[in-house]
């Protein structure tokens, strides 16, 4: 059975409330850079300090990507138990109950110690706090921070690919490895680091250069030379919400009035820009789907 796991509406709202503020901040920062997938400076500094590169390996396994963040707070035995429970699920009802429990556990975790520094002052403050820790606490802080950052960024790129190309990074990477060069180029456009940090992508690129594969290299160069956003996403918070709900397999199952309820409850748009009309949601959703449809046609 091809199950499409999805949480219930209330748990989806809790998840959106937890993750949208940080992801939306990253998206807005990228749009300010002309639509290029360039991380904000403070995140770049954090990744350099933490020496994180292998987060791209999470694209190889959707289930691992979805659960990876929990490894920062759960013991290896607890993670194995979680995976065993997931493997026993045979119905959509069981999957919904499992996801609801997972989201509830995520919300209950203590994230007070983790904060994305959005300014240089916040970054320097975080560095001073870290330097005041004992060597043992510093080592644990590094371990937890590496996992959370890897989970955050891989999920962000996964949803960005779904928003822009109509498919997640996990799907595009698997298709590329299976020999789909178009999926290869689309995945690279979202996250260029896979060219050097995923073995297949590095090998395929090198093979094309050695063989003088002009057609492949031209397609790859086109995707690399074109920013992902290019001002196309006018309603960034709302479209990000659509992508997150799409990734949770909820977007096509909600009525437009339910979608309005989810967006309003999750605080999409902020208090002063609340979405109050179903017609507005319907129009924006149609634009989102049309945008995805154009992206899919462009790869044919």
């Amino acid at each position: 059975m091809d199950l499409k796991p999805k949480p219930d509406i209330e748990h989806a709202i809790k998840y959106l409330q937890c993750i949208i503020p940080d992801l939306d901040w990253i998206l807005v920062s990228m749009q300010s850079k002309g639509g290029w997938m360039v991380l904000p400076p403070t995140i770049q500094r954090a990744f350099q300090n933490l020496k994180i590169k292998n987060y791209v390996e999470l694209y190889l396994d959707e289930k691992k990507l979805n659960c990876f963040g929990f490894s920062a707070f759960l013991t290896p035995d607890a993670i194995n138990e979680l995976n065993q429970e997931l493997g026993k699920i045979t119905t959509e009802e069981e999957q919904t109950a499992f996801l609801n429990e997972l989201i509830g556990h995520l919300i209950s975790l203590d994230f007070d110690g983790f904060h994305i520094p959005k300014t240089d002052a916040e970054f320097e403050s975080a560095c001073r706090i870290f330097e005041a820790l004992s060597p043992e606490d510093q080592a644990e802080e590094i371990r937890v921070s590496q996992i959370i950052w890897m989970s955050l960024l891989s999920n962000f790129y996964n949803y960005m690919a779904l928003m822009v190309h109509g498919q997640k990074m996990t799907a595009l990477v698997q298709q590329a490895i299976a020999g789909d060069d178009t999926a290869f180029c689309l995945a690279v456009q979202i996250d260029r680091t896979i060219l050097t940090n995923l073995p297949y992508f590095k090998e395929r690129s090198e093979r094309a250069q050695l063989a003088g594969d002009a057609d492949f290299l031209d397609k790859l160069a086109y995707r690399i030379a074109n920013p992902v956003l290019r001002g196309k996403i006018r309603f960034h918070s709302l479209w990000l919400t659509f992508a997150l709900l799409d990734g949770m397999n909820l977007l096509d199952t909600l009525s437009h009035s339910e979608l309005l309820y989810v967006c309003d409850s999750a605080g999409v748009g902020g208090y002063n820009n609340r979405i109050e009309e179903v017609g507005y949601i319907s129009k924006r959703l149609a634009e989102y789907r049309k945008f995805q449809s154009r992206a899919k046609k462009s790869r044919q």
Side-chain angles (χ1 to χ4, degrees), residues 102-297:
L102 207 60
I103 291 173
H105 187 62
L106 173 68
I107 301 303
S108 70
L109 290 172
D110 181 11
F111 285 98
D112 291 341
F114 179 79
H115 169 72
I116 293 183
K118 297 180 173 63
T119 65
D120 288 339
E122 289 183 354
F123 188 90
E124 297 303 331
S125 175
C127 288
R128 287 193 295 271
I129 293 172
F130 174 80
E131 290 166 359
L133 298 175
S134 69
E136 294 78 11
D137 287 342
Q138 285 184 353
E140 177 63 10
E141 182 70 17
I142 290 172
R143 185 192 72 83
V144 171
S145 295
Q146 285 176 329
I147 292 171
I148 296 177
W149 278 111
M150 289 169 66
S151 179
L152 177 71
L153 196 61
S154 57
N155 272 288
F156 175 76
Y157 283 136
N158 210 29
Y159 289 121
M160 282 300 300
L162 182 59
M163 181 194 302
V164 175
H165 295 314
Q167 289 185 291
K168 295 180 182 178
M169 279 292 288
T170 47
L172 292 173
V173 166
Q174 290 297 332
Q175 291 165 22
I177 292 174
D180 186 337
D181 284 342
T182 299
F184 182 108
C185 296
L186 295 177
V188 171
Q189 187 181 26
I190 296 294
D191 186 354
R192 298 182 192 179
T193 66
I194 59 178
L195 274 176
T196 53
N197 295 322
L198 276 184
Y200 174 80
F201 281 77
K202 182 178 180 180
E203 182 276 331
R204 176 69 184 95
S205 177
E206 291 176 348
R207 176 156 45 91
Q209 294 178 59
L210 289 172
D213 188 345
D215 182 58
F216 172 81
L217 293 173
D218 284 346
K219 290 178 181 178
L220 181 58
Y222 172 79
R223 289 296 173 180
I224 290 176
N226 281 273
V228 172
L229 305 179
R230 295 209 303 191
K232 297 173 184 174
I233 300 176
R234 296 165 53 206
F235 310 97
H236 49 83
S237 295
L238 187 55
W239 279 30
L240 179 60
T241 302
F242 289 161
L244 289 163
L245 290 171
D246 213 0
M248 289 187 276
N249 299 307
L250 278 172
L251 190 58
D252 288 332
T253 68
L254 298 174
S255 68
H256 290 190
S257 59
E258 287 175 324
L259 187 55
L260 174 61
Y261 168 73
V262 169
C263 291
D264 188 52
S265 300
V268 176
Y271 180 79
N272 293 324
N273 296 292
R274 291 179 62 185
I275 303 167
E276 299 179 349
E277 298 179 359
V278 172
Y280 181 89
I281 283 285
S282 300
K283 184 180 293 186
R284 299 289 84 82
L285 179 59
E287 291 173 352
Y288 173 79
R289 287 304 193 196
K290 186 177 180 180
F291 177 74
Q292 286 185 315
S293 178
R294 285 200 303 268
K296 289 179 180 178
K297 287 181 180 179

Side-chain angles (χ1 to χ4, degrees), residues 21-58:
D22 286 333
L23 296 190
D24 190 47
W25 173 74
I26 297 173
L27 178 58
V28 171
S29 176
M30 288 179 171
Q31 288 205 132
S32 72
K33 301 295 184 182
W36 293 99
M37 299 296 279
V38 177
L39 293 173
T42 53
I43 294 184
Q44 292 182 42
R45 292 174 66 185
F47 268 69
Q48 289 169 357
N49 288 354
L50 293 168
K51 298 179 173 59
I52 294 174
K53 292 183 180 179
N54 59 334
Y55 74 90
V56 298
E57 295 174 4
L58 295 171

